[in-house]
Amino acid sequence: MAISPATSSSTSFLRPLRQQQFLKCPRLSSKSQFRPRLLRFQTPTTIRASSAVAVESDLCPRQDQAIEADIFACPVCYEPLIRKGPSGLNLSAIYRSGFKCKRCNKSYSSKDRYLDLTVTAGLRDYTEIQPARTELFRSPLVSFLYERGWRQNFRQSGFPGPDEEFKMAQEYFESAKGGLVVDVSCGSGLFSRKFAKSGTYSGVIALDFSENMLRQCYDFIKKDDTLSTSNIALVRADVSRLPFSSGSVDAVHAGAALHCWPSPSNAVAEITRILRSGGIFVGSTFLRYSSLTPWFLRPFRERTSQSYGYLTEEEIKDLCTSCGLTNYSSKIQQAFIMFSAQKP
């Protein structure tokens, strides 16, 4: 369709819940297998005073809030964004912060509890229309129905169900434990919430192009008393223009998403760019057909694939390897495929 560590205990989640306290994200130990940049992610770097003067008046009038280099990057020039406000990768901190790019001078802010990091963020006189399969999921009705009947129909095509798909993804993400996971095209956050609730990762970013899907995700998070919001953030972004610095993410998940992307090649190239060395990309989608599909059904599958970007297993593997990913593997069940690839 088509985004850092915990806030202080005094940070509020919502205005009506001002007294609610949040736990801090677990920090990495000195024995962690991950590279030093994860430590930088946990404790953002404070920018020198000369930089603070440049953005302070535009982002926030409060004088007691630190200005920090953030995990997020400008989707225009990929320069790390400067944050003014509470630090942390959680709903409250992201919502209360302002972000600005020093290079192109573009500002970004939160809206309806998600941070808008699209190239068109803040524009008033220009609206960019996406392909029909992308616009479909921006619909309030489809966003509302996604976890209330829409996603359940995937079983007819061989999808094993969210619980089993989550277990499969967790197995692929074994080497990413303790790191940052970006759930691209997260929809209503079905898997983002599972990743956050697992306690396996230092941070989870639920990312989608659909504003209404992100609103639904926020509503589900708000209603789940068992889900801590100390390590999850909601971000609107284009999967073909991901707002992260190169080599800054440990794992990327894209559940039932690849067939909805306007340009799968651009999206996979972007995912490869943001993954650190050794990072894992796991995706699932509908196959146009597999080696087990009877020959007489293949023409029908070819016709139905015209509305969506259904690929074959060979095409998905070729797409991943052509973008520089290695160690490709997959599991197939009827028209369902879950695949994994790694950045060297």
Side-chain angles (χ1 to χ4, degrees):
M1 307 188 203
I3 103 170
S4 190
T7 186
S8 65
S9 60
S10 61
T11 302
S12 62
F13 176 34
L14 292 170
R15 290 182 183 276
L17 302 179
R18 187 174 296 275
Q19 300 304 319
Q20 184 171 346
Q21 305 296 316
F22 296 94
L23 298 176
K24 291 187 175 181
C25 284
R27 296 181 180 273
L28 297 175
S29 70
S30 59
K31 298 181 179 180
S32 172
Q33 61 178 315
F34 296 104
R35 301 172 70 171
R37 65 169 144 268
L38 285 178
L39 296 176
R40 180 171 60 83
F41 161 67
Q42 293 292 335
T43 54
T45 303
T46 300
I47 302 302
R48 295 181 183 276
S50 58
S51 298
V53 174
V55 298
E56 184 174 8
S57 60
D58 292 331
L59 293 181
C60 184
R62 292 184 60 181
Q63 303 296 318
D64 58 343
Q65 292 176 317
I67 297 178
E68 301 169 335
D70 210 85
I71 185 67
F72 302 121
C74 175
V76 176
C77 62
Y78 297 131
E79 181 78 12
L81 294 177
I82 304 302
R83 178 196 295 209
K84 180 65 182 296
S87 63
L89 182 70
N90 58 74
L91 293 178
S92 181
I94 297 300
Y95 181 71
R96 296 174 59 207
S97 297
F99 297 81
K100 189 168 185 176
C101 176
K102 287 200 307 178
R103 177 175 295 176
C104 64
N105 209 38
K106 186 174 176 64
S107 297
Y108 302 89
S109 60
S110 294
K111 180 181 180 182
D112 295 334
R113 299 296 168 177
Y114 63 82
L115 174 62
D116 192 341
L117 290 178
T118 58
V119 173
T120 57
L123 296 185
R124 297 180 179 179
D125 301 324
Y126 173 74
T127 301
E128 194 166 76
I129 304 300
Q130 298 292 321
R133 62 178 178 265
T134 301
E135 291 296 317
L136 175 66
F137 291 96
R138 298 177 73 183
S139 160
L141 178 60
V142 173
S143 300
F144 178 81
L145 293 176
Y146 189 75
E147 288 190 44
R148 299 177 175 91
W150 185 292
R151 193 33 164 90
Q152 288 80 345
N153 290 326
F154 289 9
R155 286 184 177 274
Q156 300 175 11
S157 298
F159 278 68
D163 290 340
E164 183 60 29
E165 293 167 48
F166 171 69
K167 291 179 182 178
M168 294 167 65
Q170 285 285 78
E171 292 176 1
Y172 283 125
F173 284 150
E174 183 68 25
S175 63
K177 286 183 177 180
L180 173 66
V181 175
V182 178
D183 188 17
V184 300
S185 298
C186 69
S188 55
L190 179 60
F191 292 100
S192 305
R193 304 193 310 270
K194 290 180 179 293
F195 288 131
K197 191 178 293 187
S198 72
T200 307
Y201 311 100
S202 61
V204 177
I205 296 176
L207 181 150
D208 203 280
F209 188 76
S210 169
E211 305 91 328
N212 285 303
M213 281 294 191
L214 291 170
R215 293 184 185 112
Q216 283 294 316
C217 182
Y218 175 77
D219 288 343
F220 281 124
I221 292 174
K222 184 174 62 173
K223 294 175 182 178
D224 189 347
D225 295 333
T226 66
L227 175 61
S228 170
T229 59
S230 63
N231 69 334
I232 186 170
L234 309 184
V235 174
R236 181 174 182 245
D238 185 344
V239 70
S240 295
R241 200 75 186 176
L242 292 172
F244 302 100
S245 300
S246 299
S248 61
V249 173
D250 297 281
V252 173
H253 176 262
L258 185 146
H259 57 279
C260 297
W261 295 342
S263 175
S265 59
N266 286 349
V268 176
E270 270 292 89
I271 289 169
T272 303
R273 180 185 65 80
I274 69 170
L275 282 173
R276 67 171 177 82
S277 179
I280 304 294
F281 170 40
V282 172
S284 64
T285 187
F286 295 89
L287 288 173
R288 185 160 74 242
Y289 55 78
S290 70
S291 58
L292 301 178
T293 304
W295 65 267
F296 58 86
L297 290 179
R298 295 191 179 191
F300 172 76
R301 295 293 297 176
E302 289 282 0
R303 288 195 298 271
T304 58
S305 69
Q306 294 177 359
S307 298
Y308 287 93
Y310 297 145
L311 303 177
T312 65
E313 181 186 10
E314 292 75 14
E315 289 173 330
I316 294 173
K317 181 178 180 180
D318 190 39
L319 177 59
C320 290
T321 54
S322 68
C323 289
L325 297 174
T326 61
N327 297 331
Y328 177 89
S329 64
S330 66
K331 297 177 182 178
I332 297 175
Q333 181 174 302
Q334 299 179 47
F336 162 80
I337 181 174
M338 178 173 284
F339 59 91
S340 172
Q342 187 174 31
K343 185 172 180 177

